[in-house]
Amino acid sequence: MSANNSQSPAGRQNAATYDSAFMKACRREAVPHTPVWFMRQAGRSLPEYRKVREGTAMLESCMRPDLVTEITLQPVRRHNVDAAIYFSDIVVPLKAIGIDLDIKPGIGPVVENPIRSRADLAQLRDLTPEDVHYVTEAIGMLTGELGATPLIGFAGAPFTLASYLVEGGPSRNHEHTKALMYGDPQLWADLLDRLAEITAAFLKVQIEAGASAVQLFDSWVGALSPADYRRSVMPASAKVFDAVASYGVPRIHFGVGTGELLGAMGEAGADVVGVDWRVPMDEAARRVGPGKALQGNLDPAVLFSTREAVEAKTDEVLAAASGLEGHVFNLGHGVLPTTDPEALTRLVEYVHTRTAV
């Protein structure tokens, strides 16, 4: 934690969470046990989540501080995880600046007017704290409830946001995205640069409100080759990480199918690199190199198997991670919607017990 923000709300909250297992692992310090949290831990796998969200659209849920607070706290209460992650969606900052989009059930974010030309860039104005005042309010409520449990803020990375904006929604092949990236590299660079500014502003709001760490989700970047990533994506991601570096909070970077990109993703500026289930943690450490903590990486589908199988696969992850400088246990992607919540609760307890010093 940097001294210059010790009097800010973020600084005060970070003081409360500074010695938590999660924060220590992110800083590559000795921990009392391997900390655990799950991507999508606050979500559809929990019956209490489905009940509280009933009749409320996703984007509306993200803009109601009372709902955000309750949903974010649910997995902390139920699973005893070592960190909470702020309940939101990666398209919230885009919606906040006036992009005409909606999250459609069973589909995902759908953009009414995709960005395909330079004139379309005018849709992307600066994000101000007033645009997302509900985020500041919700995080204030949350940090008061969480006490010494860290809150992770998050945002979508420029490439993934760009892919939604250019495609108009989720895409399997990213053909429009890649066509723009290859066919008009200057427009592409300008698009990602604007998104980097919006993303950095969104993360700053969360940190200044009290988030103890932040995670940048680049969900779709695994669709790229290492050369394309370095040339066309890494500068924008690095800009985001650099913009929040002075706050001194851990910065986590995660993508899906990014085994070939792990080294470059670490170079972009993260303190912690998330690893999906396709690459063992010891091999991931070799690819990322020294000086970074790693996060991951149990296959989410394993949780549908027997308790014995879950424990055996968990032991494999812990063994592969035993030599790491810092390890935050997580799944290799988000919790699947039909996961038994009890399996998650047991998994947290198992990791805590197996790794207790």
Side-chain angles (χ1 to χ4, degrees):
M1 182 176 65
S2 55
N4 64 357
N5 71 120
S6 60
Q7 299 307 310
S8 69
R12 290 194 296 274
Q13 172 61 14
N14 289 348
T17 64
Y18 189 82
D19 288 326
S20 64
F22 169 77
M23 295 290 280
K24 282 177 174 285
C26 290
R27 298 194 302 265
R28 295 175 288 122
E29 297 172 1
V31 292
H33 60 262
T34 297
V36 188
W37 72 277
F38 305 116
M39 290 175 280
R40 294 199 208 121
Q41 64 187 16
R44 289 172 290 175
S45 64
L46 297 179
E48 56 266 41
Y49 167 83
R50 294 193 296 271
K51 183 176 180 181
V52 79
R53 269 278 324 273
E54 198 171 0
T56 306
M58 178 62 185
L59 281 171
E60 183 187 343
S61 300
C62 297
M63 297 173 190
R64 285 182 45 186
D66 59 332
L67 265 184
V68 170
T69 300
E70 169 59 23
I71 292 168
T72 302
L73 290 171
Q74 284 175 349
V76 180
R77 297 190 199 110
R78 182 188 268 263
H79 303 315
N80 194 32
V81 285
D82 294 279
I85 184 160
Y86 183 76
F87 175 75
S88 187
D89 188 273
I90 63 170
V91 299
V92 163
L94 300 180
K95 184 73 172 181
I97 62 169
I99 298 294
D100 188 355
L101 61 82
D102 195 14
I103 299 175
K104 299 197 173 178
I107 299 174
V110 175
V111 178
E112 186 65 29
N113 301 302
I115 290 179
R116 303 279 172 82
S117 69
R118 182 159 295 279
D120 294 332
L121 280 183
Q123 297 181 55
L124 300 174
R125 66 166 176 83
D126 291 342
L127 177 84
T128 69
E130 292 72 33
D131 292 323
V132 287
H133 58 88
Y134 44 84
V135 173
T136 299
E137 184 179 344
I139 290 179
M141 295 165 66
L142 276 164
T143 53
E145 293 276 350
L146 285 166
T149 300
L151 175 67
I152 305 167
F154 84 92
F159 174 82
T160 292
L161 293 180
S163 72
Y164 278 116
L165 287 170
V166 174
E167 299 290 340
S171 172
R172 184 180 297 273
N173 299 309
H174 308 281
E175 54 265 42
H176 295 295
T177 304
K178 291 184 177 182
L180 179 60
M181 184 174 73
Y182 298 137
D184 194 339
Q186 188 56 58
L187 175 57
W188 173 259
D190 292 345
L191 170 60
L192 259 66
D193 190 67
R194 292 292 297 116
L195 290 170
E197 292 173 356
I198 292 164
T199 298
F202 190 53
L203 290 179
K204 286 178 180 180
V205 167
Q206 295 174 70
I207 296 168
E208 290 178 5
S212 293
V214 290
Q215 175 157 311
L216 194 65
F217 282 85
D218 216 347
S219 307
W220 306 127
V221 78
L224 299 181
S225 70
D228 285 341
Y229 176 82
R230 287 183 179 277
R231 178 175 53 247
S232 302
V233 173
M234 188 171 159
S237 294
K239 181 174 182 174
V240 175
F241 285 123
D242 186 60
V244 299
S246 64
Y247 290 98
V249 304
R251 298 159 297 168
I252 311 168
H253 202 6
F254 173 76
V256 185
T258 52
E260 299 300 322
L261 308 180
L262 287 172
M265 290 179 72
E267 290 172 35
D271 305 296
V272 184
V273 178
V275 184
D276 76 10
W277 68 92
R278 297 169 177 87
V279 180
M281 296 301 282
D282 48 356
E283 172 59 17
R286 188 189 69 76
R287 296 183 188 186
V288 171
K292 308 284 183 184
L294 295 187
Q295 178 175 281
N297 73 338
L298 185 71
D299 185 342
V302 169
L303 288 161
F304 290 81
S305 192
T306 63
R307 183 171 183 165
E308 292 74 21
V310 171
E311 292 179 356
K313 295 300 285 185
T314 301
D315 285 342
E316 288 180 17
V317 172
L318 293 173
S322 61
L324 301 186
E325 298 180 65
H327 178 219
V328 176
F329 189 95
N330 207 310
L331 303 180
H333 197 195
V335 174
L336 296 170
T338 54
T339 303
D340 179 3
E342 290 302 315
L344 292 166
T345 304
R346 288 195 300 267
L347 178 56
V348 175
E349 183 180 8
Y350 185 76
V351 172
H352 284 171
T353 303
R354 290 283 283 123
T355 62
V357 176

